[in-house]
Amino acid sequence: MFSSLLSLVIGTVVGLTQSRIKRLFGFSTISHVGFILLGLSIHTVESTQAFMFYLIQYSISNLNAFMLIITIGYSLYCYVYNPKSTSGIEKQESTKQVSNKQEINENNSTLYDVNNSPIQLIDQLKGYYYINPILSLSLGITLFSFAGIPPLIGFFGKQMILSAAIDNGYIFMALVAILTSVVSAVYYLYIIKQIFFDKPDYNLNDELKSFNANGLITEKNTIVKKVHIKINNIVISSSLSLSISIITLVITLFIFIPEELLSLANILALILFNI
């Protein structure tokens, strides 16, 4: 039980200080592990069912989040990143705020190493909704699910854990879990604010604005069709877009199709509990 409390508090508090997206997801995972350990430590059939369901839904949501971050990174290869200068910052801003902005800009200038992933800072997601609304909405839904916003699948996972804790007398742990869940929603909402409400720091590469190439569609060494490839024809692969679409629909529409995942969680819980 102490490990659950520690995971909830550390994952939430340290996550609030992160500026890198993968580190934020890492500490977010620590916070979610606190919920998982809470369900596992109660050790009843109901809590084990809640534990298995939470593990399934969080794995699905986390997979979708990382696929989206990778996809967003690759979709920005046609753009040039130009973070706004801090020289126009209003005078009433504190010295600490100025130094933070300067530190972010200095970090941005070192992000083009080929060994680094395309998206590293939360600040790099700024205004992405204006570039690709569909991927932005999918990421927003996934982040809301992490925060436990109804009627998304993450809400039901947290509800099952908290119900099992309260039913078995773990009132203090349930209160801590609720409090940390509310606080952790802050950094999820901060990402959403960056994506949807800030203006983007990206400009389309000047060399690609007039990009026009000829291509051939062939079948069995026979030319089927001649096509002209423009910047609008550069899209993500169908397999990746299909995977993201299916997982996002599962997260969003779980309330209408709960039987399959709940049945799977119940079966796994009965097997684990009987062992």
Side-chain angles (χ1 to χ4, degrees), residues 47-99:
S47 67
T48 309
Q49 290 172 350
F51 155 73
M52 293 306 306
F53 177 75
Y54 199 100
L55 194 61
I56 293 170
Q57 68 86 16
Y58 181 70
S59 299
I60 293 173
S61 300
N62 209 32
L63 174 64
N64 199 41
F66 275 97
M67 283 199 302
L68 282 164
I69 293 299
I70 293 170
T71 304
I72 289 172
Y74 285 121
S75 70
L76 292 173
Y77 274 132
C78 298
Y79 292 82
V80 177
Y81 184 57
N82 293 314
K84 295 179 177 59
S85 173
T86 58
S87 59
I89 296 176
E90 296 178 355
K91 293 183 180 180
Q92 62 265 31
E93 289 190 342
S94 65
T95 306
K96 182 178 180 181
Q97 290 174 315
V98 174
S99 63

Short mmCIF file of all heavy atoms in Angstrom, two decimals, residues 47-99:
data_model
loop_
_atom_site.label_atom_id
_atom_site.label_comp_id
_atom_site.label_asym_id
_atom_site.label_seq_id
_atom_site.Cartn_x
_atom_site.Cartn_y
_atom_site.Cartn_z
N SER A 47 -11.36 -6.11 -6.81
CA SER A 47 -10.18 -5.27 -7.02
C SER A 47 -9.25 -5.86 -8.07
O SER A 47 -8.60 -5.11 -8.83
CB SER A 47 -9.43 -5.09 -5.70
OG SER A 47 -8.86 -6.31 -5.26
N THR A 48 -9.18 -7.18 -8.14
CA THR A 48 -8.35 -7.82 -9.17
C THR A 48 -8.94 -7.60 -10.56
O THR A 48 -8.21 -7.39 -11.53
CB THR A 48 -8.21 -9.33 -8.89
OG1 THR A 48 -7.78 -9.52 -7.55
CG2 THR A 48 -7.18 -9.95 -9.82
N GLN A 49 -10.28 -7.63 -10.65
CA GLN A 49 -10.92 -7.30 -11.92
C GLN A 49 -10.63 -5.86 -12.32
O GLN A 49 -10.33 -5.58 -13.49
CB GLN A 49 -12.44 -7.52 -11.79
CG GLN A 49 -12.85 -8.98 -11.68
CD GLN A 49 -14.32 -9.14 -11.38
OE1 GLN A 49 -15.01 -8.16 -11.07
NE2 GLN A 49 -14.81 -10.37 -11.46
N ALA A 50 -10.71 -4.96 -11.35
CA ALA A 50 -10.40 -3.56 -11.61
C ALA A 50 -8.94 -3.39 -12.03
O ALA A 50 -8.63 -2.60 -12.94
CB ALA A 50 -10.70 -2.72 -10.37
N PHE A 51 -8.04 -4.11 -11.37
CA PHE A 51 -6.62 -4.06 -11.70
C PHE A 51 -6.37 -4.52 -13.13
O PHE A 51 -5.65 -3.85 -13.89
CB PHE A 51 -5.84 -4.94 -10.72
CG PHE A 51 -4.53 -5.47 -11.24
CD1 PHE A 51 -3.44 -4.64 -11.39
CD2 PHE A 51 -4.40 -6.81 -11.59
CE1 PHE A 51 -2.23 -5.11 -11.88
CE2 PHE A 51 -3.21 -7.30 -12.08
CZ PHE A 51 -2.12 -6.46 -12.22
N MET A 52 -6.99 -5.63 -13.54
CA MET A 52 -6.79 -6.14 -14.89
C MET A 52 -7.37 -5.18 -15.93
O MET A 52 -6.75 -4.93 -16.98
CB MET A 52 -7.43 -7.52 -15.04
CG MET A 52 -6.76 -8.62 -14.22
SD MET A 52 -4.98 -8.78 -14.50
CE MET A 52 -4.91 -8.97 -16.28
N PHE A 53 -8.56 -4.65 -15.65
CA PHE A 53 -9.16 -3.72 -16.60
C PHE A 53 -8.33 -2.45 -16.73
O PHE A 53 -8.13 -1.93 -17.83
CB PHE A 53 -10.59 -3.37 -16.18
CG PHE A 53 -11.25 -2.37 -17.08
CD1 PHE A 53 -11.72 -2.74 -18.33
CD2 PHE A 53 -11.38 -1.04 -16.69
CE1 PHE A 53 -12.31 -1.82 -19.18
CE2 PHE A 53 -11.97 -0.11 -17.53
CZ PHE A 53 -12.44 -0.50 -18.78
N TYR A 54 -7.83 -1.92 -15.60
CA TYR A 54 -7.01 -0.71 -15.65
C TYR A 54 -5.74 -0.96 -16.45
O TYR A 54 -5.30 -0.11 -17.23
CB TYR A 54 -6.66 -0.26 -14.23
CG TYR A 54 -6.22 1.18 -14.15
CD1 TYR A 54 -7.10 2.17 -13.74
CD2 TYR A 54 -4.92 1.56 -14.49
CE1 TYR A 54 -6.71 3.49 -13.67
CE2 TYR A 54 -4.52 2.86 -14.43
CZ TYR A 54 -5.41 3.84 -14.02
OH TYR A 54 -5.01 5.16 -13.98
N LEU A 55 -5.15 -2.12 -16.25
CA LEU A 55 -3.92 -2.47 -16.97
C LEU A 55 -4.19 -2.54 -18.48
O LEU A 55 -3.39 -2.02 -19.28
CB LEU A 55 -3.40 -3.81 -16.47
CG LEU A 55 -1.96 -4.19 -16.85
CD1 LEU A 55 -0.97 -3.19 -16.30
CD2 LEU A 55 -1.65 -5.59 -16.34
N ILE A 56 -5.32 -3.12 -18.86
CA ILE A 56 -5.66 -3.24 -20.29
C ILE A 56 -5.92 -1.87 -20.90
O ILE A 56 -5.35 -1.52 -21.95
CB ILE A 56 -6.88 -4.16 -20.48
CG1 ILE A 56 -6.55 -5.61 -20.09
CG2 ILE A 56 -7.38 -4.11 -21.92
CD1 ILE A 56 -7.75 -6.52 -20.02
N GLN A 57 -6.76 -1.08 -20.24
CA GLN A 57 -7.12 0.22 -20.84
C GLN A 57 -5.94 1.17 -20.87
O GLN A 57 -5.78 1.94 -21.82
CB GLN A 57 -8.32 0.83 -20.10
CG GLN A 57 -8.08 1.27 -18.66
CD GLN A 57 -7.52 2.67 -18.54
OE1 GLN A 57 -7.57 3.45 -19.49
NE2 GLN A 57 -6.95 3.01 -17.37
N TYR A 58 -5.07 1.13 -19.84
CA TYR A 58 -3.93 2.04 -19.84
C TYR A 58 -2.91 1.63 -20.90
O TYR A 58 -2.30 2.49 -21.55
CB TYR A 58 -3.26 2.09 -18.47
CG TYR A 58 -2.09 3.06 -18.46
CD1 TYR A 58 -2.30 4.43 -18.54
CD2 TYR A 58 -0.78 2.59 -18.40
CE1 TYR A 58 -1.25 5.31 -18.56
CE2 TYR A 58 0.28 3.47 -18.42
CZ TYR A 58 0.05 4.83 -18.50
OH TYR A 58 1.10 5.71 -18.54
N SER A 59 -2.74 0.34 -21.10
CA SER A 59 -1.82 -0.13 -22.14
C SER A 59 -2.29 0.33 -23.52
O SER A 59 -1.49 0.78 -24.35
CB SER A 59 -1.71 -1.66 -22.10
OG SER A 59 -1.21 -2.10 -20.86
N ILE A 60 -3.60 0.23 -23.76
CA ILE A 60 -4.16 0.67 -25.03
C ILE A 60 -3.96 2.18 -25.22
O ILE A 60 -3.51 2.64 -26.28
CB ILE A 60 -5.65 0.31 -25.11
CG1 ILE A 60 -5.84 -1.21 -25.17
CG2 ILE A 60 -6.32 0.97 -26.31
CD1 ILE A 60 -7.28 -1.66 -25.08
N SER A 61 -4.30 2.95 -24.20
CA SER A 61 -4.18 4.41 -24.30
C SER A 61 -2.73 4.85 -24.45
O SER A 61 -2.42 5.76 -25.23
CB SER A 61 -4.79 5.07 -23.06
OG SER A 61 -6.15 4.74 -22.92
N ASN A 62 -1.82 4.21 -23.71
CA ASN A 62 -0.40 4.58 -23.78
C ASN A 62 0.18 4.25 -25.15
O ASN A 62 0.98 5.01 -25.70
CB ASN A 62 0.37 3.85 -22.68
CG ASN A 62 1.58 4.62 -22.22
OD1 ASN A 62 1.58 5.85 -22.22
ND2 ASN A 62 2.61 3.92 -21.81
N LEU A 63 -0.22 3.09 -25.71
CA LEU A 63 0.23 2.74 -27.05
C LEU A 63 -0.23 3.78 -28.05
O LEU A 63 0.55 4.21 -28.92
CB LEU A 63 -0.33 1.36 -27.42
CG LEU A 63 -0.08 0.89 -28.86
CD1 LEU A 63 1.41 0.72 -29.13
CD2 LEU A 63 -0.83 -0.42 -29.14
N ASN A 64 -1.47 4.22 -27.93
CA ASN A 64 -1.99 5.23 -28.85
C ASN A 64 -1.25 6.55 -28.70
O ASN A 64 -0.94 7.22 -29.70
CB ASN A 64 -3.48 5.44 -28.59
CG ASN A 64 -4.19 6.10 -29.75
OD1 ASN A 64 -3.94 5.76 -30.91
ND2 ASN A 64 -5.09 7.01 -29.47
N ALA A 65 -0.93 6.93 -27.47
CA ALA A 65 -0.23 8.20 -27.23
C ALA A 65 1.15 8.20 -27.89
O ALA A 65 1.54 9.17 -28.55
CB ALA A 65 -0.10 8.45 -25.73
N PHE A 66 1.90 7.11 -27.74
CA PHE A 66 3.24 7.07 -28.32
C PHE A 66 3.19 6.97 -29.84
O PHE A 66 4.04 7.55 -30.54
CB PHE A 66 4.05 5.92 -27.71
CG PHE A 66 4.71 6.27 -26.42
CD1 PHE A 66 4.12 5.95 -25.20
CD2 PHE A 66 5.91 6.96 -26.40
CE1 PHE A 66 4.72 6.29 -23.99
CE2 PHE A 66 6.53 7.32 -25.21
CZ PHE A 66 5.93 6.98 -24.00
N MET A 67 2.22 6.24 -30.38
CA MET A 67 2.07 6.20 -31.84
C MET A 67 1.75 7.59 -32.38
O MET A 67 2.24 7.99 -33.44
CB MET A 67 0.97 5.21 -32.24
CG MET A 67 1.38 3.77 -32.16
SD MET A 67 0.31 2.66 -33.12
CE MET A 67 -1.27 3.01 -32.38
N LEU A 68 0.92 8.33 -31.65
CA LEU A 68 0.56 9.68 -32.09
C LEU A 68 1.76 10.62 -32.03
O LEU A 68 1.95 11.43 -32.95
CB LEU A 68 -0.57 10.22 -31.21
CG LEU A 68 -1.97 9.70 -31.55
CD1 LEU A 68 -2.93 9.97 -30.41
CD2 LEU A 68 -2.48 10.32 -32.83
N ILE A 69 2.56 10.53 -30.98
CA ILE A 69 3.74 11.40 -30.88
C ILE A 69 4.71 11.11 -32.02
O ILE A 69 5.27 12.03 -32.64
CB ILE A 69 4.43 11.20 -29.51
CG1 ILE A 69 3.55 11.72 -28.38
CG2 ILE A 69 5.78 11.91 -29.48
CD1 ILE A 69 3.24 13.19 -28.46
N ILE A 70 4.93 9.83 -32.32
CA ILE A 70 5.81 9.46 -33.43
C ILE A 70 5.24 9.96 -34.75
O ILE A 70 5.96 10.53 -35.59
CB ILE A 70 6.01 7.93 -33.47
CG1 ILE A 70 6.80 7.47 -32.24
CG2 ILE A 70 6.74 7.51 -34.74
CD1 ILE A 70 6.84 5.97 -32.07
N THR A 71 3.93 9.78 -34.95
CA THR A 71 3.29 10.21 -36.20
C THR A 71 3.35 11.71 -36.35
O THR A 71 3.62 12.23 -37.44
CB THR A 71 1.83 9.73 -36.21
OG1 THR A 71 1.78 8.32 -36.04
CG2 THR A 71 1.17 10.09 -37.54
N ILE A 72 3.10 12.44 -35.27
CA ILE A 72 3.17 13.90 -35.32
C ILE A 72 4.58 14.35 -35.69
O ILE A 72 4.78 15.28 -36.49
CB ILE A 72 2.73 14.50 -33.97
CG1 ILE A 72 1.23 14.32 -33.78
CG2 ILE A 72 3.11 15.98 -33.88
CD1 ILE A 72 0.73 14.70 -32.40
N GLY A 73 5.59 13.69 -35.11
CA GLY A 73 6.96 14.04 -35.42
C GLY A 73 7.28 13.88 -36.90
O GLY A 73 7.86 14.77 -37.53
N TYR A 74 6.87 12.75 -37.48
CA TYR A 74 7.13 12.52 -38.90
C TYR A 74 6.31 13.44 -39.79
O TYR A 74 6.74 13.81 -40.88
CB TYR A 74 6.87 11.06 -39.26
CG TYR A 74 7.94 10.13 -38.77
CD1 TYR A 74 7.66 9.08 -37.90
CD2 TYR A 74 9.27 10.30 -39.17
CE1 TYR A 74 8.64 8.23 -37.44
CE2 TYR A 74 10.27 9.45 -38.72
CZ TYR A 74 9.95 8.42 -37.86
OH TYR A 74 10.94 7.59 -37.40
N SER A 75 5.11 13.83 -39.34
CA SER A 75 4.28 14.71 -40.16
C SER A 75 4.83 16.12 -40.22
O SER A 75 4.41 16.91 -41.07
CB SER A 75 2.85 14.75 -39.59
OG SER A 75 2.82 15.45 -38.36
N LEU A 76 5.79 16.45 -39.35
CA LEU A 76 6.35 17.80 -39.32
C LEU A 76 7.65 17.93 -40.09
O LEU A 76 8.28 18.97 -40.07
CB LEU A 76 6.59 18.22 -37.86
CG LEU A 76 5.33 18.46 -37.02
CD1 LEU A 76 5.69 18.71 -35.57
CD2 LEU A 76 4.51 19.62 -37.57
N TYR A 77 8.06 16.85 -40.79
CA TYR A 77 9.31 16.91 -41.54
C TYR A 77 9.23 17.90 -42.70
O TYR A 77 10.25 18.37 -43.19
CB TYR A 77 9.68 15.53 -42.08
CG TYR A 77 10.46 14.69 -41.09
CD1 TYR A 77 10.10 13.37 -40.84
CD2 TYR A 77 11.54 15.22 -40.41
CE1 TYR A 77 10.81 12.59 -39.92
CE2 TYR A 77 12.25 14.46 -39.50
CZ TYR A 77 11.88 13.15 -39.26
OH TYR A 77 12.58 12.40 -38.36
N CYS A 78 8.03 18.22 -43.14
CA CYS A 78 7.88 19.19 -44.23
C CYS A 78 7.84 20.63 -43.73
O CYS A 78 7.69 21.56 -44.52
CB CYS A 78 6.60 18.90 -45.02
SG CYS A 78 6.57 17.29 -45.83
N TYR A 79 7.98 20.80 -42.41
CA TYR A 79 7.87 22.13 -41.82
C TYR A 79 9.20 22.56 -41.20
O TYR A 79 10.03 21.73 -40.85
CB TYR A 79 6.78 22.15 -40.75
CG TYR A 79 5.39 21.99 -41.31
CD1 TYR A 79 4.89 20.71 -41.60
CD2 TYR A 79 4.58 23.09 -41.55
CE1 TYR A 79 3.62 20.55 -42.13
CE2 TYR A 79 3.30 22.94 -42.06
CZ TYR A 79 2.83 21.67 -42.35
OH TYR A 79 1.57 21.51 -42.86
N VAL A 80 9.36 23.86 -41.08
CA VAL A 80 10.53 24.45 -40.43
C VAL A 80 10.09 25.00 -39.08
O VAL A 80 9.09 25.74 -39.00
CB VAL A 80 11.14 25.57 -41.29
CG1 VAL A 80 12.32 26.21 -40.57
CG2 VAL A 80 11.58 25.03 -42.64
N TYR A 81 10.83 24.63 -38.04
CA TYR A 81 10.47 25.05 -36.68
C TYR A 81 11.17 26.35 -36.36
O TYR A 81 12.40 26.43 -36.34
CB TYR A 81 10.86 23.95 -35.69
CG TYR A 81 10.46 24.22 -34.27
CD1 TYR A 81 9.13 24.45 -33.94
CD2 TYR A 81 11.40 24.23 -33.24
CE1 TYR A 81 8.74 24.68 -32.64
CE2 TYR A 81 11.02 24.46 -31.94
CZ TYR A 81 9.69 24.69 -31.64
OH TYR A 81 9.31 24.92 -30.34
N ASN A 82 10.39 27.40 -36.09
CA ASN A 82 10.94 28.72 -35.77
C ASN A 82 10.33 29.21 -34.47
O ASN A 82 9.31 29.92 -34.48
CB ASN A 82 10.63 29.72 -36.89
CG ASN A 82 11.36 29.37 -38.17
OD1 ASN A 82 12.54 29.06 -38.15
ND2 ASN A 82 10.64 29.40 -39.29
N PRO A 83 10.89 28.80 -33.31
CA PRO A 83 10.35 29.29 -32.04
C PRO A 83 10.48 30.79 -31.93
O PRO A 83 11.47 31.38 -32.35
CB PRO A 83 11.21 28.58 -30.99
CG PRO A 83 12.47 28.21 -31.70
CD PRO A 83 12.07 27.95 -33.14
N LYS A 84 9.43 31.42 -31.39
CA LYS A 84 9.41 32.88 -31.30
C LYS A 84 10.47 33.37 -30.32
O LYS A 84 10.73 32.77 -29.30
CB LYS A 84 8.02 33.36 -30.86
CG LYS A 84 6.95 33.04 -31.90
CD LYS A 84 5.60 33.50 -31.41
CE LYS A 84 4.52 33.25 -32.46
NZ LYS A 84 4.40 31.84 -32.83
N SER A 85 11.05 34.48 -30.65
CA SER A 85 12.10 35.06 -29.80
C SER A 85 11.49 35.59 -28.51
O SER A 85 10.34 35.99 -28.44
CB SER A 85 12.79 36.20 -30.56
OG SER A 85 13.69 36.87 -29.70
N THR A 86 12.28 35.61 -27.48
CA THR A 86 11.83 36.15 -26.20
C THR A 86 12.07 37.65 -26.08
O THR A 86 11.81 38.23 -25.03
CB THR A 86 12.59 35.45 -25.06
OG1 THR A 86 13.99 35.66 -25.24
CG2 THR A 86 12.30 33.97 -25.04
N SER A 87 12.56 38.29 -27.17
CA SER A 87 12.89 39.71 -27.07
C SER A 87 11.65 40.57 -26.90
O SER A 87 11.72 41.68 -26.39
CB SER A 87 13.67 40.15 -28.31
OG SER A 87 12.89 39.92 -29.48
N GLY A 88 10.48 40.08 -27.34
CA GLY A 88 9.27 40.87 -27.25
C GLY A 88 8.46 40.59 -26.01
O GLY A 88 7.30 40.98 -25.91
N ILE A 89 9.03 39.97 -25.05
CA ILE A 89 8.29 39.65 -23.81
C ILE A 89 8.00 40.94 -23.06
O ILE A 89 8.83 41.83 -22.95
CB ILE A 89 9.13 38.70 -22.93
CG1 ILE A 89 9.32 37.37 -23.66
CG2 ILE A 89 8.43 38.46 -21.60
CD1 ILE A 89 10.21 36.43 -22.89
N GLU A 90 6.79 41.00 -22.56
CA GLU A 90 6.39 42.22 -21.88
C GLU A 90 7.20 42.43 -20.60
O GLU A 90 7.64 41.50 -19.96
CB GLU A 90 4.90 42.15 -21.53
CG GLU A 90 4.02 42.10 -22.77
CD GLU A 90 2.56 41.99 -22.40
OE1 GLU A 90 2.27 41.87 -21.20
OE2 GLU A 90 1.73 42.05 -23.31
N LYS A 91 7.38 43.68 -20.24
CA LYS A 91 8.26 44.03 -19.14
C LYS A 91 7.77 43.51 -17.80
O LYS A 91 8.57 43.28 -16.90
CB LYS A 91 8.42 45.56 -19.09
CG LYS A 91 9.16 46.13 -20.27
CD LYS A 91 9.34 47.63 -20.13
CE LYS A 91 10.09 48.21 -21.31
NZ LYS A 91 10.27 49.67 -21.18
N GLN A 92 6.45 43.35 -17.66
CA GLN A 92 5.96 42.94 -16.35
C GLN A 92 6.20 41.47 -16.04
O GLN A 92 5.89 41.02 -14.94
CB GLN A 92 4.46 43.25 -16.22
CG GLN A 92 3.57 42.51 -17.21
CD GLN A 92 3.30 43.38 -18.43
OE1 GLN A 92 4.14 44.17 -18.79
NE2 GLN A 92 2.12 43.22 -19.02
N GLU A 93 6.68 40.68 -17.01
CA GLU A 93 6.98 39.27 -16.72
C GLU A 93 8.18 39.18 -15.80
O GLU A 93 9.13 39.96 -15.89
CB GLU A 93 7.25 38.50 -18.02
CG GLU A 93 6.00 38.30 -18.87
CD GLU A 93 6.26 37.34 -20.01
OE1 GLU A 93 7.44 37.14 -20.34
OE2 GLU A 93 5.30 36.82 -20.59
N SER A 94 8.16 38.22 -14.95
CA SER A 94 9.23 38.06 -13.98
C SER A 94 10.49 37.53 -14.64
O SER A 94 10.46 36.98 -15.73
CB SER A 94 8.78 37.09 -12.88
OG SER A 94 8.59 35.81 -13.42
N THR A 95 11.62 37.70 -13.94
CA THR A 95 12.90 37.21 -14.45
C THR A 95 12.89 35.70 -14.61
O THR A 95 13.47 35.15 -15.56
CB THR A 95 14.03 37.62 -13.49
OG1 THR A 95 13.98 39.02 -13.28
CG2 THR A 95 15.38 37.20 -14.04
N LYS A 96 12.18 35.02 -13.72
CA LYS A 96 12.12 33.56 -13.79
C LYS A 96 11.43 33.11 -15.05
O LYS A 96 11.87 32.17 -15.72
CB LYS A 96 11.37 33.01 -12.56
CG LYS A 96 11.31 31.50 -12.53
CD LYS A 96 10.61 31.02 -11.27
CE LYS A 96 10.54 29.51 -11.25
NZ LYS A 96 9.85 29.01 -10.03
N GLN A 97 10.33 33.77 -15.44
CA GLN A 97 9.63 33.40 -16.66
C GLN A 97 10.50 33.63 -17.88
O GLN A 97 10.51 32.82 -18.81
CB GLN A 97 8.34 34.22 -16.78
CG GLN A 97 7.27 33.83 -15.76
CD GLN A 97 6.08 34.75 -15.82
OE1 GLN A 97 6.23 35.97 -15.89
NE2 GLN A 97 4.90 34.18 -15.79
N VAL A 98 11.25 34.72 -17.89
CA VAL A 98 12.13 35.00 -19.03
C VAL A 98 13.21 33.94 -19.15
O VAL A 98 13.49 33.45 -20.24
CB VAL A 98 12.76 36.41 -18.87
CG1 VAL A 98 13.79 36.64 -19.96
CG2 VAL A 98 11.68 37.48 -18.90
N SER A 99 13.82 33.58 -18.03
CA SER A 99 14.88 32.58 -18.06
C SER A 99 14.35 31.22 -18.50
O SER A 99 15.03 30.48 -19.21
CB SER A 99 15.53 32.45 -16.67
OG SER A 99 14.60 31.99 -15.72
#
